[in-house]
Amino acid sequence: MIERWIILAAEEAGPVSNKMGGIWNVVDAEATTLARLVAKGELDSEFRILVIGPNYPTAGSDWNTGRNRVTDISALNRLDMGEELASTLAELSSLGMESVTGQRVEDGVPIGYVLFNTNYYQSRLVRWKDREMTLNNAIKTEAFDLLGLDSMRFEKEHYGWEYNHYLNLSYAVSELVRILAQSPEESTKKYADKAVVEFAQSVMPRVRVSLHCHEFGIFYATARLEKLGIPVRTLCTLHATVPGRTAGYRSLEKIRKNDSKMEPGTPLGFAALEALARYADGVTFVGDSTMKEAMLFYRMKGVVIRNGIDVRGDRIDWNKKERCRARIQDFIIDNLYKNCEGSCPERENIIPIFSISRIEIENKGYPQLLDALLLQDHLLRHRMMGQRHADQNRVVCFLIASHGPKPKDKLPEGFPINLPIEVLLGDEIRLENMIDDLRLNKDELISGRRSVAAVLYPQWLGPNDGGLGMRTDEVMAGCVAGIFPSQYEPFLLTALEAGREGTPSIVSRSAGFSDALKKVEHRVPGLGGVVVVDNIELQPQETVMDYALALDYFSRTYLEDDVKYRLLCEESFSLARQFSWDQPVMEYYKNLTV
């Protein structure tokens, strides 16, 4: 009898926290899809799903003060996944690695959670080779002995705290996997008679463990297991590369020139952790560009397994879209035109669009987006001369990007349209200044000098965000279109999330999503539920013009041709449905259970 475990690990993995998105979504979707495929009978039911990640019990416990994540385990039930895991966690605790645990059920299939708080590893004393030292120092010493990781050098850098967190978390993950994988052998050591030991091992279930690590912060776990000779099947998935992130929009040029030299400022400690993926049994990439970067910087090979999205319904929720759009439009009118004395635009003439991303100004293409909005304003103003009532149309683009969550009680009424400079940080200030420099701010819209405005939304969306008070899916559903002009984007899940809500979008060619679009079936060829703009080969002015024309196309269609606009929404929804998680997760499963 074989007892099989599939363990999913990442620095952003676990139950819901006050920060979602990115890797969290991917790991959660993989766990949920595995459970659903088991429930449908498409996968062997003889394995258990375990998710491992960090635990941030209170505000301030997150190593990243900007994110300030707080782990919420209140919705989880008590972990109950067998004696082997229980004894494994008990042994981990005796070794100084405490955890909080929980369990939930998806389609009748349990998903377990083990979450480690690594903050105290630098103060917890342990015995290491007959010497007393902190747990963190013991981990770093072993990492140098096994793999030559120069942690003393890396921890002196500005990212040293983060590096230590990744190393500690990876160690805890690998220890859990090691103890669990060796549990049958360990449990029989209490018998002195060799024959009894052999008999006991023959009747006990054999444990087979597969470990899937997402992103570099957890890759040391797979390398350590390999060096220790633990019989575990391991898989590493790169969602981007550390040198590629640092180079940003210049990474495409480096690939073309076969320039493998890392850019100044590349966190070499993170790159060293990322290079450890070569010790895994398999390596996967979410997009072609990430695969090319890994080959360029690390000479690392693997296969592309794209990201996906979970679309539960088989049709667009038009009532939700109309309800959310009306709410956004009313919010804009109430906060922009509350003193307009009867001259404010009608609700249906307000066209909300959005862009959402990390606040990386150049990498996410914000300069090109603002230039495109400026050009769209000119297109709209010229149209006013030939169309009746065109002067009443207003386009408002929400730029949703933030360094971290902001307390609701610190935000003014009417936020983010009412946006005092005091609430902004770092690049938020720079982005707001860019909006002002191009005169795309709200004052120009109110005065009538502009018909297009950009509104910075420096907050994580949610019912209590102090602004719209809407979830991300509700904002996406309510907006007429989304625009994602990234200069560097390994995949771009946000475009799929918009498509799930039936919202058309504009994406850059440099996003990995644009490559994936070539391999799926379009419901109506050429209709354009997702418009791809070439930001690689075209001149910068041409790229900006294409963004503006695409924005104008969606806005004009929404205003003038309801039937065609609905077809655009249907096309974006159809594309999202074709990017189901089922196929990628099946490919992960095959790699993990070879």
Side-chain angles (χ1 to χ4, degrees):
M1 178 181 175
I2 296 178
E3 184 178 290
R4 184 179 293 280
W5 291 79
I6 291 184
I7 297 177
L8 313 178
E11 200 284 320
E12 287 191 6
V16 64
S17 71
N18 63 325
K19 193 277 179 186
M20 295 199 321
I23 308 304
W24 185 93
N25 279 351
V26 173
V27 176
D28 185 68
E30 184 177 359
T32 301
T33 305
L34 279 171
R36 192 172 66 247
L37 291 173
V38 167
K40 291 165 61 178
E42 296 184 25
L43 291 181
D44 183 359
S45 61
E46 296 302 319
F47 69 85
R48 299 176 187 181
I49 306 167
L50 190 65
V51 176
I52 307 181
N55 177 42
Y56 304 112
T58 61
S61 59
D62 188 354
W63 59 265
N64 189 324
T65 55
R67 292 180 179 179
N68 195 23
R69 291 164 289 188
V70 178
T71 308
D72 182 7
I73 61 172
S74 60
L76 298 181
N77 300 316
R78 185 178 66 87
L79 182 66
D80 183 17
M81 302 192 81
E83 183 179 340
E84 287 81 7
L85 181 58
S87 61
T88 295
L89 295 176
E91 184 170 347
L92 282 174
S93 181
S94 71
L95 295 172
M97 289 165 282
E98 299 172 0
S99 60
V100 298
T101 62
Q103 184 172 309
R104 69 181 178 91
V105 175
E106 181 73 26
D107 287 346
V109 178
I111 300 173
Y113 293 88
V114 176
L115 311 171
F116 293 100
N117 182 354
T118 66
N119 287 339
Y120 65 88
Y121 286 18
Q122 298 190 52
S123 59
R124 183 70 177 262
L125 293 177
V126 298
R127 298 292 300 178
W128 174 262
K129 294 185 177 179
D130 297 325
R131 293 176 55 196
E132 189 173 70
M133 62 179 69
T134 65
L135 178 56
N136 177 243
N137 282 338
I139 292 170
K140 290 184 291 187
T141 301
E142 186 195 51
F144 182 79
D145 291 344
L146 290 177
L147 294 150
L149 280 177
D150 191 358
S151 299
M152 292 186 65
R153 169 193 173 194
F154 300 143
E155 67 183 359
K156 294 176 183 178
E157 301 293 337
H158 64 89
Y159 54 83
W161 190 7
E162 185 179 356
Y163 171 87
N164 271 329
H165 167 72
Y166 292 152
L167 198 66
N168 291 338
L169 182 60
S170 291
Y171 180 85
V173 170
S174 63
E175 275 296 272
L176 185 151
V177 172
R178 180 188 67 80
I179 297 170
L180 184 61
Q182 295 180 328
S183 57
E185 291 80 3
E186 292 296 320
S187 64
T188 58
K189 285 183 178 179
K190 59 186 178 181
Y191 302 113
D193 191 299
K194 183 179 179 182
V196 174
V197 170
E198 292 176 351
F199 174 75
Q201 289 181 350
S202 68
V203 297
M204 290 184 65
R206 289 180 295 170
V207 176
R208 294 290 180 265
V209 181
S210 299
L211 174 64
H212 188 183
C213 293
H214 288 268
E215 279 290 72
F216 70 89
I218 213 80
F219 287 173
Y220 173 63
T222 61
R224 180 173 182 266
L225 290 167
E226 173 67 18
K227 283 293 185 177
L228 293 177
I230 308 301
V232 173
R233 178 73 185 178
T234 57
L235 183 67
C236 284
T237 293
L238 284 79
H239 296 255
T241 67
V242 171
R245 282 193 180 99
T246 304
Y249 61 90
R250 296 184 298 276
S251 63
L252 293 174
E253 181 180 356
K254 294 180 77 67
I255 291 171
R256 284 198 300 269
K257 294 181 177 180
N258 197 30
D259 177 10
S260 61
K261 184 179 179 180
M262 296 186 188
E263 292 286 300
T266 301
L268 299 181
F270 295 169
L273 293 177
E274 190 165 66
L276 298 179
R278 68 177 74 255
Y279 288 96
D281 294 311
V283 179
T284 74
F285 312 99
V286 300
D288 295 324
S289 62
T290 303
M291 180 175 63
K292 292 174 183 176
E293 288 172 18
M295 184 63 190
L296 176 68
F297 295 115
Y298 304 127
R299 298 296 184 263
M300 187 186 299
K301 295 181 180 180
V303 297
V304 173
I305 300 179
R306 59 168 175 75
N307 283 329
I309 196 166
D310 185 16
V311 182
R312 294 295 180 95
D314 57 1
R315 59 178 59 87
I316 296 174
D317 187 344
W318 293 106
N319 290 332
K320 176 183 178 181
K321 289 185 70 66
E322 292 170 7
R323 181 177 68 252
C324 292
R325 183 169 302 136
R327 184 171 171 180
I328 296 171
Q329 291 168 327
D330 287 341
F331 180 86
I332 293 171
I333 290 173
D334 291 344
N335 290 283
L336 269 181
Y337 297 102
K338 54 187 173 183
N339 299 316
C340 62
E341 298 179 352
S343 60
C344 58
E346 297 293 329
R347 172 201 281 177
E348 59 268 20
N349 292 326
I350 298 288
I351 307 170
I353 58 178
F354 79 96
S355 185
I356 183 169
S357 69
R358 293 188 300 273
I359 191 159
E360 301 171 359
I361 291 180
E362 277 73 30
N363 284 352
K364 298 303 178 181
Y366 283 113
Q368 291 78 16
L369 173 54
L370 292 177
D371 286 344
L373 291 172
L374 185 64
L375 183 53
Q376 191 196 8
D377 176 72
H378 284 268
L379 292 171
L380 191 56
R381 291 174 67 81
H382 278 280
R383 192 173 299 112
M384 292 178 186
M385 296 184 293
Q387 294 183 9
R388 187 179 181 184
H389 303 309
D391 59 332
Q392 297 178 12
N393 299 331
R394 298 289 184 271
V395 176
V396 177
C397 181
F398 289 103
L399 309 183
I400 306 168
S402 173
H403 280 295
K406 294 177 173 57
K408 180 181 177 180
D409 57 2
K410 300 293 179 63
L411 301 176
E413 184 179 356
F415 171 86
I417 291 175
N418 181 11
L419 186 62
I421 196 72
E422 293 81 18
V423 307
L424 302 179
L425 300 169
D427 278 347
E428 297 170 356
I429 299 174
R430 182 183 166 206
L431 190 51
E432 179 68 5
N433 288 336
M434 291 167 64
I435 292 171
D436 289 338
D437 290 344
L438 291 176
R439 294 192 297 116
L440 286 168
N441 52 50
K442 62 175 183 179
D443 295 332
E444 299 292 323
L445 197 70
I446 295 171
S447 68
R449 290 189 292 269
R450 293 280 191 216
S451 296
V452 177
V455 174
L456 177 62
Y457 202 132
Q459 176 65 304
W460 288 343
L461 298 178
N464 297 306
D465 68 357
L468 285 167
M470 302 169 69
R471 302 187 308 269
T472 303
D473 63 294
E474 292 175 321
V475 174
M476 289 181 170
C479 284
V480 170
I483 178 168
F484 311 105
S486 299
Q487 299 284 84
Y488 175 77
E489 191 70 61
F491 186 75
L492 190 66
L493 268 175
T494 44
L496 281 178
E497 291 169 340
R500 178 170 57 191
E501 303 303 325
T503 299
S505 59
I506 304 157
V507 305
S508 64
R509 183 181 159 194
S510 62
F513 180 47
S514 66
D515 288 327
L517 280 173
K518 300 172 185 175
K519 303 171 186 177
V520 298
E521 179 182 353
H522 291 255
R523 187 171 181 172
V524 182
L527 185 60
V530 176
V531 173
V532 178
V533 171
D534 187 349
N535 64 340
I536 297 176
E537 296 184 359
L538 292 182
Q539 293 297 316
Q541 302 94 322
E542 294 178 285
T543 297
V544 169
M545 183 178 294
D546 280 351
Y547 282 134
L549 291 171
L551 283 170
D552 189 62
Y553 168 60
F554 285 138
S555 301
R556 183 158 36 89
T557 303
Y558 165 74
L559 288 169
E560 300 174 2
D561 193 336
D562 183 64
V563 173
K564 184 176 180 181
Y565 179 73
R566 281 182 168 250
L567 287 173
L568 293 175
C569 295
E570 293 283 3
E571 168 72 356
S572 67
F573 181 74
S574 172
L575 291 173
R577 290 193 68 191
Q578 293 182 64
F579 283 87
S580 161
W581 269 116
D582 287 8
Q583 182 181 350
V585 169
M586 285 290 285
E587 291 184 50
Y588 285 143
Y589 176 79
K590 291 174 183 176
N591 277 275
L592 287 165
T593 57
V594 170

